[in-house]
Amino acid sequence: FCPTPGCLSRLAATMPYTTIAEDNVPLVDTPLSEIDEQPQAKPFRAGIIVAALALAGVAVGAVTSYANPAKAAEANLMKQESCKKTPQTEQGYYTCPPGNYLGHTAADQEERNARLRSLHEKLRGMGYVHNDRETSNSYETRGFATYESSMWLKPEECLTLPDETWSAENGGYLNYKEDNSPTYITKMINDEYKMEFHLNWKVASTSFPSYLWCEYGTWNDVSKSTDVSTGYEVVSAVRHPLSRFVSSVGELLQRSVNYYCPTGYCTFETDYWQGNTTLEKFEHQTTWYELVKNGINETQLPEILERFVADTKCNYYTYASEHFITQSDFVTQNGGCAAPINNIIQLEELDAGLSELANTLGHTESGSCSLEDSNEASDKPGGVPSSGAMMEVLKKSPELLKEICYMYAQDFICFDYDLPEECEGLF
């Protein structure tokens, strides 16, 4: 997040996601900015207090949340049912995260789950298979699968790693992303308002803490595996899946080409950056790095994006690849069976959301706190294509867009995002 008030700016601009734009310009058709993101780093601690104090007195900002406290009983029922029932079929794991977020009723949730079950059958018909080399199976206790789960069907070519020889010789490294958000992240707990907030990488995860400290006072960081306390409101944020994917590509390119992370040049202490060791991982665990290791030639951007899509589609792991993990994984943070989520913040609908969240909690907004852009593209080194340039390439590649839609189908369906025109009718 931004360490000083002088670097803060109010989020505002609006632009369709199809528009060619710079990284600090929205990619969806409602207010959004590149307020990214959580580094692959040790979780924030005392730094949040400093940033919160720095933000005091700054103009009020916004975010969107949809929740109905009257539906608490229904949410509890959802939790009870999801925890008691072990799916009897593969399709049974193809569901949304539990909860009454975005105003969803039980019937709404079932309609979305039915779409996901139909997607399973379509993927099977396309020749997609299970990858037995994906050994992380959190879905079994969580109660639902995500794209990172071994239960989620993927193309058969994904059974082969980018460099089988190197991977065999370096057996201590992960080959595929785990079926969960990173184990070392923390979630934010506010006991005064009985609320916990789940940060979602590439969705303002370095900006939310400062706002929440400023607006709601003291928070505690606890392990993400900590059970949700009875009566606590569970809140998280999401973003248009296509916009988030493009932002994640930019994140990996900044790290691999410029060695630059959200808080500055990458270090081991804050970003687990290991210099040549990290670059070696990029070289052998990905298919895209060989195209950028000597600098980025933008004429190769279509192929670079094609390879990023291929690696994400196969769930290959490399340094910082967690930024591509589905949002359905990030919004659920507790041990065992997934607890229901009460509020989902769509980042594209900022102003109404913070007001709705405050109303839900019985809180009067202070008018002196704002959610600020802490990771603007303009603050980063050059040599990396803008989000707008990447979007332009994707819009000229309908088949590539369809691959992205299949990868993030769960996020599109569960969090009420419209599919790009090129993906309409896929699921």
Side-chain angles (χ1 to χ4, degrees), residues 207-416:
S207 301
F208 270 113
S210 298
Y211 168 79
L212 293 170
W213 271 85
C214 179
E215 186 65 48
Y216 292 99
T218 302
W219 295 75
N220 297 310
D221 298 333
V222 302
S223 168
K224 72 161 196 172
S225 63
T226 305
D227 287 343
V228 176
S229 299
T230 302
Y232 275 53
E233 193 86 357
V234 177
V235 185
S236 192
V238 295
R239 177 183 185 179
H240 192 285
L242 183 56
S243 168
R244 182 173 177 266
F245 173 80
V246 167
S247 182
S248 297
V249 172
E251 179 78 33
L252 269 290
L253 290 177
Q254 280 289 352
R255 292 178 185 237
S256 61
V257 175
N258 294 325
Y259 317 147
Y260 198 82
C261 291
T263 57
Y265 284 98
C266 302
T267 67
F268 179 79
E269 290 73 21
T270 60
D271 311 292
Y272 299 140
W273 178 261
Q274 295 177 284
N276 288 337
T277 298
T278 298
L279 297 179
E280 181 183 10
K281 292 178 182 179
F282 283 142
E283 184 164 4
H284 296 286
Q285 293 179 318
T286 76
T287 62
W288 54 263
Y289 181 67
E290 67 173 342
L291 297 178
V292 305
K293 63 182 179 181
N294 296 317
I296 298 174
N297 181 344
E298 289 213 26
T299 63
Q300 292 185 294
L301 186 54
E303 186 176 1
I304 293 170
L305 286 172
E306 183 178 342
R307 294 195 185 191
F308 265 104
V309 170
D311 286 8
T312 306
K313 178 174 63 176
C314 283
N315 197 36
Y316 293 146
Y317 175 82
T318 192
Y319 168 81
S321 61
E322 295 94 338
H323 290 85
F324 293 98
I325 288 177
T326 48
Q327 298 180 78
S328 296
D329 256 333
F330 271 103
V331 301
T332 302
Q333 296 180 19
N334 62 272
C337 184
I341 304 160
N342 307 110
N343 289 264
I344 287 289
I345 297 166
Q346 288 183 318
L347 201 59
E348 296 79 12
E349 301 288 344
L350 296 178
D351 286 323
L354 286 185
S355 296
E356 178 63 26
L357 178 60
N359 290 337
T360 299
L361 298 171
H363 171 74
T364 301
E365 292 180 276
S366 66
S368 61
C369 303
S370 63
L371 187 74
E372 300 294 344
D373 191 337
S374 64
N375 193 13
E376 292 189 56
S378 59
D379 296 332
K380 302 173 184 177
V384 171
S386 68
S387 293
M390 288 190 270
M391 290 299 302
E392 182 182 18
V393 169
L394 291 176
K395 289 299 293 181
K396 294 178 180 178
S397 308
E399 294 306 312
L400 213 54
L401 272 177
K402 291 177 182 178
E403 296 283 7
I404 295 172
C405 290
Y406 277 126
M407 292 188 305
Y408 295 118
Q410 188 175 32
D411 291 345
F412 275 108
I413 291 173
C414 299
F415 304 135
D416 295 354

Side-chain angles (χ1 to χ4, degrees), residues 110-125:
E110 175 52 30
E111 183 272 332
R112 287 158 178 77
N113 292 344
R115 288 179 65 189
L116 287 171
R117 291 193 294 269
S118 295
L119 172 65
H120 172 275
E121 291 307 300
K122 183 172 184 177
L123 296 178
R124 178 76 76 187

Side-chain angles (χ1 to χ4, degrees), residues 15-90:
M15 183 175 291
Y17 82 89
T18 54
T19 302
I20 302 171
E22 294 306 311
D23 286 332
N24 60 341
V25 177
L27 298 179
V28 288
D29 55 3
T30 42
L32 177 61
S33 184
E34 289 281 340
I35 42 181
D36 305 325
E37 275 332 308
Q38 176 74 15
Q40 178 163 334
K42 298 174 183 177
F44 52 84
R45 295 291 178 186
I48 297 176
I49 302 175
V50 176
L53 293 173
L55 280 170
V58 180
V60 69
V63 167
T64 291
S65 161
Y66 301 84
N68 186 342
K71 294 183 179 178
E74 182 178 9
N76 288 336
L77 178 60
M78 287 182 181
K79 178 180 180 181
Q80 294 166 10
E81 292 303 308
S82 66
C83 288
K84 288 179 179 177
K85 296 180 180 179
T86 299
Q88 300 301 306
T89 63
E90 289 185 10

Side-chain angles (χ1 to χ4, degrees), residues 129-144:
V129 298
H130 293 298
N131 184 354
D132 292 337
R133 301 179 74 177
E134 293 178 308
T135 57
S136 176
N137 298 313
S138 296
Y139 73 90
E140 294 176 341
T141 54
R142 186 174 57 227
F144 67 92

